[in-house]
Structure formats: C-alpha cells, structure tokens
C-alpha cells in the first residue's frame, strides 16, 4: 500500500471530492476505517472517519438519492491533504537588519 496522506489527529483539507460541496472543508482525522468501497472507484480505498472543524462546515453524502449532511463521517484518504504546521519564523534578528532588506 502507498503511504497515506493523513494520520489520526491530523488537521486536513478535503480535495478532489465527488460532491463539490465537500471541497475545502477543514477536518480533524479521528480514526482509520480501513479499506472501504466508494462505488465510484475500481477498488476499495483507505478511508478515515473525520470531524468537521468549523462551525458552519458540513460533509454532504448522497444516501438513497437524497442529500444528507453530517459533522462527522468517512472520507477516502485520497480526498484529504494534511495541513502542515506553519513554518517557524526566526525572530531573533535585530530590527536594523530587517530595514536593509
């Protein structure tokens, strides 16, 4: 199996989603669910249970032909990108050094 995009506890952004409404959600990766069949792929995909991190975000799923929204649910690993922590900025330089730049 290829390396997974996420691990438990990561913050991630949803990408390459079948439902465009799910694009760009910020989620917390909660649990590895193993391989799951998504119906629109040739083989089961590694999947995670995630929780929406924003107050107004939702995961949209189509169940029995009807849209349903949830704050937590499964997402394939290929539709998640871990959000890297911000780069550490060196604040030890003097302000005079910055004026030269």
């Amino acid at each position: 199996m290829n390396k997974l995009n996420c691990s438990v506890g990561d913050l991630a952004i949803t990408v390459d989603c079948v439902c465009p409404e799910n694009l760009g959600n910020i989620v917390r990766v909660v649990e590895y669910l193993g391989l799951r069949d998504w119906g629109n792929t040739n083989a089961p995909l590694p999947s995670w249970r995630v929780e929406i991190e924003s107050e107004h975000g939702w995961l949209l799923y189509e169940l029995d032909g009807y849209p349903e929204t949830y704050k937590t649910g499964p997402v394939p690993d290929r539709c998640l990108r871990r959000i890297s922590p911000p780069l550490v900025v060196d604040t030890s330089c003097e302000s005079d050094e910055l004026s030269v730049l």
Side-chain angles (χ1 to χ4, degrees), residues 18-96:
V18 173
C19 294
E21 295 85 357
N22 287 333
L23 289 171
N25 278 321
I26 304 300
V27 298
R28 170 96 41 207
V29 178
V30 178
E31 173 186 16
Y32 182 66
L33 299 174
L35 297 174
R36 291 187 58 143
D37 181 19
W38 287 91
N40 59 348
T41 60
N42 293 333
L45 299 173
S47 301
W48 301 96
R49 185 170 63 86
V50 301
E51 293 176 347
I52 293 288
E53 282 293 304
S54 66
E55 181 181 338
H56 301 290
W58 295 95
L59 293 169
L60 178 71
Y61 298 98
E62 192 172 308
L63 303 172
D64 297 324
Y66 297 99
E68 303 257 352
T69 55
Y70 297 91
K71 288 290 193 180
T72 184
V75 175
D77 183 71
R78 73 178 186 115
C79 294
L80 295 170
R81 296 296 177 270
R82 184 177 55 84
I83 299 174
S84 299
L87 296 174
V88 176
V89 178
D90 183 6
T91 58
S92 63
C93 63
E94 297 296 321
S95 60
D96 291 340

